Amino acid sequence: MNSKDIHEGLNFSAAEDESSFGIFSIKFSKDGRELVGNSNESICIYDLGANKVTERIHAHVQGT
Protein backbone atom coordinates (compact mmCIF):
# COMPACT_ATOMS: atom_id res chain seq x y z
CA MET A 1 0.00 0.00 0.00
CA ASN A 2 1.27 3.43 -0.89
CA SER A 3 0.44 6.22 1.55
CA LYS A 4 -0.55 8.38 -1.44
CA ASP A 5 -3.38 5.91 -2.25
CA ILE A 6 -5.35 6.72 0.91
CA HIS A 7 -8.44 8.78 0.21
CA GLU A 8 -10.45 8.25 3.38
CA GLY A 9 -10.25 9.28 7.01
CA LEU A 10 -8.19 7.18 9.42
CA ASN A 11 -9.72 6.23 12.77
CA PHE A 12 -7.34 7.15 15.59
CA SER A 13 -10.00 6.86 18.32
CA ALA A 14 -9.39 4.41 21.14
CA ALA A 15 -12.12 1.79 21.67
CA GLU A 16 -12.99 3.29 25.06
CA ASP A 17 -12.87 6.86 23.74
CA GLU A 18 -15.73 8.20 21.64
CA SER A 19 -14.21 11.66 21.24
CA SER A 20 -12.55 12.90 18.09
CA PHE A 21 -8.79 12.82 17.57
CA GLY A 22 -7.15 15.97 16.22
CA ILE A 23 -3.66 15.43 14.85
CA PHE A 24 -1.11 18.17 15.48
CA SER A 25 1.84 16.45 13.83
CA ILE A 26 2.31 13.46 11.53
CA LYS A 27 5.29 11.51 10.18
CA PHE A 28 5.27 8.57 7.74
CA SER A 29 7.66 5.64 8.20
CA LYS A 30 10.38 5.25 5.56
CA ASP A 31 8.57 2.27 4.00
CA GLY A 32 5.20 4.08 4.00
CA ARG A 33 3.44 1.33 5.98
CA GLU A 34 2.96 3.25 9.22
CA LEU A 35 2.54 6.76 10.41
CA VAL A 36 3.05 8.41 13.76
CA GLY A 37 0.63 11.11 14.84
CA ASN A 38 0.20 13.05 18.02
CA SER A 39 -2.66 14.89 19.66
CA ASN A 40 -3.01 16.77 22.89
CA GLU A 41 -3.42 13.46 24.76
CA SER A 42 -1.36 10.76 23.05
CA ILE A 43 1.14 9.65 20.43
CA CYS A 44 -0.15 6.95 18.09
CA ILE A 45 1.44 4.55 15.63
CA TYR A 46 -1.04 3.71 12.87
CA ASP A 47 -0.61 0.66 10.64
CA LEU A 48 -1.93 1.67 7.21
CA GLY A 49 -2.23 -1.92 5.93
CA ALA A 50 -4.20 -3.09 8.98
CA ASN A 51 -6.10 0.21 9.09
CA LYS A 52 -5.76 0.56 12.87
CA VAL A 53 -3.73 2.06 15.68
CA THR A 54 -1.11 -0.47 16.77
CA GLU A 55 0.41 1.52 19.63
CA ARG A 56 -0.85 4.40 21.77
CA ILE A 57 1.38 6.27 24.21
CA HIS A 58 -0.55 8.55 26.55
CA ALA A 59 1.21 11.88 26.90
CA HIS A 60 0.63 15.49 27.92
CA VAL A 61 -1.28 14.50 31.03
CA GLN A 62 -1.82 17.42 33.37
CA GLY A 63 -1.27 16.87 37.07
CA THR A 64 -3.93 17.64 39.62
Side-chain angles (χ1 to χ4, degrees), residues 20-47:
S20 62
F21 184 92
I23 298 175
F24 297 128
S25 178
I26 194 166
K27 174 79 175 167
F28 284 89
S29 63
K30 289 182 181 182
D31 62 8
R33 295 181 186 178
E34 296 178 314
L35 59 87
V36 176
N38 77 301
S39 72
N40 61 343
E41 296 178 0
S42 62
I43 299 167
C44 295
I45 300 173
Y46 195 95
D47 183 317

